[in-house]
Amino acid sequence: LEKLLPKNKKLKINKEIIFKDISFSYDNSKNIIKNISLKINKGDHIGIYGDTGSGKSTFLDILMGLLPPTKGKMYVDGIDVYQNNYQSDWTSNISHVPQNIFLKEGSIAENIAFGEDDQSLNLELLKKAAKITQVEQFVQQTEKGFETMVGERGIRLSGGQRQRISLARAIYRIRQILVLDEATSALDQETENLIIRSILQNFSNLTIITVSHRMKSLENCSRILKVKSNGEILEE
């Protein structure tokens, strides 16, 4: 599936992401994150945990090109992401799966291929994404398969089913970096492990950032970072 990764002409990760002395604060008040220097190699699977309010979300926003740091630089293969209008180009490399995903009142297929019409839908890729994320498992139990309606905001589905559809959506819109922000909180441990291992098997060079309060959710990570209450990051 890696051949399906989009070719970004301006900015993509071939080697590494580097945070150099990055801090962030609102209105010059107390730093939410402080003096972070960190290297993420292409293909790393990074786990991040920390107390509520420690700065995990701020760190992710900076990483995804959504929030310029008030101090320091972020480089992708030596290019400063927050200079020369590279932000939107960098953001296009990232699939972000939050804890609470929006599902529209439509079919399972429409929610995986969100925003695409029937003519542009890639059914082969959709089915592969569903298989990798265990969506296929519950789709096969329905009468209408991928045409099963999810109801308003996915009300006809369980929390775990909604999260699996959101993961399938991220795989369908495949990017170089996958950010999982409490994206598996409603899944049981066995299903979560099956999905993560399947993603790793299918995308050996995919860079994955997993944020979770559950340490067991970080067992498949190659590196684990703790965001401390003072906004610093400690590697474990």
Side-chain angles (χ1 to χ4, degrees):
L1 289 180
E2 291 182 11
K3 64 183 180 181
L4 298 172
L5 285 167
K7 302 298 185 290
N8 194 315
K9 295 181 180 180
K10 292 183 180 179
L11 182 61
K12 63 180 181 178
I13 177 173
N14 290 307
K15 186 178 178 183
E16 62 192 12
I17 304 166
I18 292 179
F19 279 64
K20 186 173 181 180
D21 298 324
I22 281 184
S23 298
F24 181 84
S25 64
Y26 290 103
D27 301 323
N28 295 317
S29 58
K30 179 182 177 181
N31 284 325
I32 298 174
I33 59 173
K34 183 172 65 175
N35 299 330
I36 293 177
S37 292
L38 174 69
K39 181 168 78 168
I40 298 174
N41 296 310
K42 181 180 179 180
D44 273 353
H45 184 186
I46 305 293
I48 299 175
Y49 76 101
D51 295 335
T52 300
S54 60
K56 300 188 300 296
S57 295
T58 301
F59 173 78
L60 285 184
D61 286 344
I62 294 173
L63 172 69
M64 293 189 292
L66 303 175
L67 187 67
T70 50
K71 175 189 172 186
K73 302 286 186 180
M74 178 181 139
Y75 299 99
V76 175
D77 293 347
I79 297 173
D80 186 347
V81 171
Y82 287 96
Q83 294 292 327
N84 300 320
N85 297 317
Y86 278 116
Q87 279 176 256
S88 60
D89 197 60
W90 171 242
T91 301
S92 68
N93 288 286
I94 297 169
S95 289
H96 176 219
V97 187
Q99 182 175 5
N100 298 311
I101 194 75
F102 173 76
L103 296 185
K104 70 174 184 177
E105 191 171 2
S107 68
I108 291 173
E110 288 173 328
N111 274 285
I112 293 175
F114 190 76
E116 293 192 1
D117 56 32
D118 292 340
Q119 293 181 337
S120 59
L121 188 147
N122 185 329
L123 185 59
E124 180 185 4
L125 180 55
L126 186 147
K127 288 181 176 180
K128 286 181 179 179
K131 184 176 182 179
I132 290 170
T133 57
Q134 298 287 303
V135 170
E136 181 185 65
Q137 184 184 61
F138 70 84
V139 165
Q140 291 176 340
Q141 299 172 3
T142 65
E143 291 185 7
K144 296 185 178 180
F146 286 104
E147 295 308 310
T148 300
M149 303 301 285
V150 304
E152 186 178 358
R153 296 185 177 273
I155 196 171
R156 295 180 182 176
L157 304 176
S158 68
Q161 289 172 336
R162 289 195 293 269
Q163 285 195 334
R164 278 183 274 177
I165 287 176
S166 70
L167 290 164
R169 182 187 294 175
I171 297 300
Y172 182 82
R173 296 183 175 282
I174 199 163
R175 298 292 185 266
Q176 288 196 312
I177 297 174
L178 178 63
V179 176
L180 305 176
D181 189 0
E182 298 286 355
T184 57
S185 59
L187 300 178
D188 62 82
Q189 197 64 51
E190 182 180 359
T191 301
E192 179 182 25
N193 284 336
L194 284 171
I195 291 172
I196 296 302
R197 287 170 185 166
S198 183
I199 291 172
L200 293 171
Q201 288 169 1
N202 280 276
F203 304 102
S204 59
N205 288 318
L206 182 66
T207 304
I208 306 175
I209 313 294
T210 300
V211 177
S212 179
H213 284 95
R214 300 191 305 188
M215 289 304 295
K216 283 189 172 293
S217 297
L218 306 181
E219 288 180 349
N220 292 299
C221 297
S222 54
R223 296 164 60 194
I224 295 178
L225 307 177
K226 178 180 180 180
V227 183
K228 297 162 63 176
S229 58
N230 64 357
E232 295 178 346
I233 284 186
L234 173 69
E235 182 157 358
E236 299 186 346

